[in-house]
Structures are given as structure tokens and as C-alpha cells.
Amino acid sequence: MCTSSPVLRLAVALLAAAALAAQAPMLDAAALPTRLEASADGLPPAAVATLVLGLEPVHVVLPGGAVLGARPDVLAGLAVVDAAGGVELATPLVSGLCAGLSFLVQVAALSPDGTFATTPVRVVRAPAPGDAADVYLLFGQSNAQGHAPAEELPDALRRPLPNGRLWDIGAGTFAAVRGDGDRCGPELALLRGLGGGERTVWLVKLAVDMTPLGPGEGPMDEWGVAAGELYAVLLAVTDAAAADLRAVGLVPRVRGIAMMQGESDATDVALAHGYGERLQHLVRQLRQDLLARRLAADDATPFVIGRIARELAREVFPWTEVVRAAQDAVASATPACALVDTDGLALQEDRTHFATDGVVGLGRAFAAALLRLASRR
């Protein structure tokens, strides 16, 4: 009798719709100067997928009911959908021919039973010489580096984001960022939070464990501007990344800066009490140096400070509240500057490093704060 209840039938229908929505195919796609990449989720495992590129929309119903929405002017590559329903595809672009061209992109997958599944259609524009490249900087110490187990990441963050690129310092080039290593940092969620549109996000990251803003014990272990150590390295790495973008005809522009640092300064009374002055100096000098390098339009590049967590182990970080107060004061007194609150983000058992959920939350919070600051400019 209760199975005929209209309320129950409605609830069942809503749950079924939610389940279908959760399984609906999704597509991320982006064009780099010489390459188009796509990453799709929600496809039938073991299906054979191909990348469909077209200049005009169509509406063709395929066996199984899926709709082909892009005219298949080009079918690029074949790949088998993995057990999680994901697939990665790429195709080269002829830079001179495709520069500035917008086209439709879709992934179509043929299942073993002969039916098709398709992703939504995305509009992708190939970059042209003179286009701006949106660059972001992420720097700091261990919680910027990331010590969280990558195996605990959700599938969406383990797969590379086509329109997100991370500067590989060792290789001297930008590369796809993946969450399939042993450890992960906030860059995965940060890039996904900043991306999602047509434009590619280019991230430069420099993070070194146990590095204070104030004087350290050895060479190359502090961020203070006057020391000429890690701050100078950050500028050099940014210069190298900018040169790489200029070499392919793009115009690099730093759209925002995220900093997760300060735990080491909370271990020492002198470092903690000098933190605010050193932080203010760093924010001001980094903005000026980016402007001098023609990487910023003015001296107010959006700057986001990750406030160190209140839950840090006090026996290790006794001056936590002093550093937190300094970070609050600098963020409040500095134009185009914001504070990201890390209180409540999950920490590992060491009560120092963020757990995987915490790292993901930090990246998302950085992205949201940077976008808010950008919207006010």
C-alpha cells in the first residue's frame, strides 16, 4: 500500500534522477598552442572512445540513444575507457592553421554491446599569437608542497585537467598535473577551481619543507626578501616559465598569487614576532617585481594568504597565534589581499600536515579567494 504513495514515488524518481546525473558523462577539453587534450568521465568501462572535432553543431541520435552534437570533421585517436569510466585523448594541432580557431569538441564511446555514449559538447579555441596566458603562483613550505596520500583523492582529481598546466622545474616546461603519485598538494584542486572554461591556467609552484619567512639556519631555507634565497628562486622560476610561454607566442600575465607558509615561524618567538613586517615586505616586493617584469598590469596582483591552522600541535608550534594574528593584519591592511582560513581542514596525525581532504579543501579555498579578488578589479 505504501509503495503507491505519491510522495514515495516522487522520492524514488528523484533518487533515480540523481543517480543518473552522477553517472552522466562529463568532458574537460583545452587547446594548447600545438596540442588539444580532452579528459572524459562517466563513460561505459571498456568502451572504445574517440575525440570528435567539428566546426558546426549537429543532432544525430546514435544506437543506444546518445546524441552526436558536433559534426565529425575530424576523429582523433582511439582509447579504451578505464574501469572508473574515464578516458584521456589528445591530438596535435597545426599551430599556423589552427591558431585562433574555435571548434566543437566531443568524446564518443562505442560499448562492446554496440551502443554509444557521448559527452556534452565543449567549445574550444586554439590560442593565437599574442593571446594572454593566465599564470598563477603557488609557494610556501610543506603544506604548499603537499604531504597527503594521493590514493585518497577522488577520481576527478586523479585524472589530469586538460586546461591546467603545472611548471615542471626539473624539465623546464609546463606539463599536465596528475594526482596519481604517492603524495598530493593543493595544486590539483586549485587548478580545477580556477579552470573549467576555455582558457588554460598555467601554475608555477615552488614549495620547500621547513622554510621560515624569517632567518633560517642554513643556506636556501628562508623566504624573506632580504635573504636573496627562496624568494630569488621563485622569481627565477617564474622568469623561466614566462620565457617558455613567450616562446610559443603567448603573453604571460600573473593573475594571482597563493601562499601557504608560516608554520616554521611559529616555532620560534623571534621569528613569530617579526613575521608581520617580513610578510608585508614580501607581498609588496613580489608585486613590484612582477610589474617590473611585465608580468602584471599594476602593483596590486591578487594575493591570497593561507592562514596557518589553529589546530597545529602547540608543543611544536607554540607561537601559532602570533603568526596567525600577523597574517590577519597583513591581509586586512593590504589592498587586493585575502586570507584563507584553514581552521577545520583535516590534519594528519602529526597535527602539522593537511590530510588529503584538507589539501583538497585548501586548493578549493585558494581558487575561490583568487576568483573573488579578480572579480573586484
Side-chain angles (χ1 to χ4, degrees):
M1 179 174 176
C2 64
T3 57
S4 63
S5 164
V7 174
L8 182 59
R9 290 199 302 271
L10 177 60
V12 170
L14 289 173
L15 288 172
L20 288 173
Q23 299 171 2
M26 300 294 293
L27 173 66
D28 284 313
L32 305 170
T34 60
R35 180 179 173 88
L36 185 140
E37 296 186 2
S39 176
D41 288 291
L43 296 171
V48 177
T50 188
L51 195 59
V52 180
L53 282 72
L55 297 177
E56 295 182 4
V58 295
H59 187 88
V60 178
V61 179
L62 302 172
V67 174
L68 184 67
R71 188 182 71 188
D73 295 318
V74 176
L75 298 179
L78 293 173
V80 177
V81 179
D82 64 28
V87 69
E88 300 166 31
L89 293 157
T91 184
L93 296 176
V94 181
S95 56
L97 180 63
C98 297
L101 178 67
S102 292
F103 41 87
L104 306 176
V105 178
Q106 188 176 31
V107 171
L110 175 61
S111 298
D113 64 4
T115 61
F116 283 85
T118 56
T119 67
V121 176
R122 294 287 300 270
V123 178
V124 173
R125 177 183 177 275
D131 281 357
D134 296 337
V135 179
Y136 290 83
L137 307 185
L138 169 63
F139 72 97
Q141 55 181 111
S142 56
N143 275 322
Q145 177 65 31
H147 284 251
E151 63 183 11
E152 299 175 5
L153 285 169
D155 288 338
L157 291 180
R158 293 180 66 83
R159 204 176 308 284
L161 179 66
N163 59 348
R165 279 295 187 272
L166 179 66
W167 181 250
D168 186 325
I169 296 175
T173 188
F174 281 99
V177 56
R178 308 181 67 97
D180 55 2
D182 293 332
R183 301 289 176 178
C184 61
E187 65 273 8
L188 299 170
L190 172 60
L191 279 169
R192 191 162 290 274
L194 292 172
E198 280 191 29
R199 299 170 70 89
T200 298
V201 177
W202 309 84
L203 182 64
V204 176
K205 172 180 170 177
L206 180 65
V208 183
D209 292 354
M210 297 185 294
T211 49
L213 186 55
E217 295 181 356
M220 302 308 294
D221 67 347
E222 66 176 280
W223 286 100
V225 173
E229 297 185 5
L230 293 177
Y231 179 81
V233 175
L234 177 63
L235 291 180
V237 170
T238 303
D239 287 341
D244 187 75
L245 292 170
R246 292 184 180 116
V248 294
L250 301 180
V251 180
R253 289 289 181 268
V254 176
R255 304 299 189 188
I257 305 161
M259 174 186 177
M260 186 66 234
Q261 191 279 331
E263 292 90 345
S264 289
D265 298 85
T267 65
D268 179 88
V269 59
L271 293 180
H273 284 283
Y275 190 86
E277 182 178 351
R278 295 188 186 99
L279 178 58
Q280 185 66 68
H281 185 195
L282 184 146
V283 174
R284 181 172 59 251
Q285 189 63 49
L286 182 52
R287 285 172 162 177
Q288 292 175 355
D289 285 335
L290 294 175
L291 179 61
R293 285 164 162 76
R294 297 182 293 114
L295 293 174
D298 53 39
D299 61 355
T301 302
F303 199 111
V304 177
I305 301 165
R307 185 172 60 181
I308 63 174
R310 176 175 281 121
E311 297 87 350
L312 290 173
R314 290 306 171 92
E315 63 272 19
V316 181
F317 309 100
W319 304 100
T320 293
E321 290 303 330
V322 176
V323 172
R324 284 165 55 89
Q327 291 173 325
D328 283 339
V330 171
S332 298
T334 307
C337 189
L339 195 75
V340 160
D341 185 6
T342 66
D343 293 350
L345 294 182
L347 291 173
Q348 299 182 46
E349 291 183 1
D350 62 7
R351 292 169 60 206
T352 299
H353 299 109
F354 293 120
T356 304
D357 286 348
V359 163
V360 171
L362 177 63
R364 288 173 176 164
F366 273 150
L370 287 167
L371 292 175
R372 282 196 301 271
L373 289 176
S375 70
R376 299 169 187 167
R377 289 172 66 82

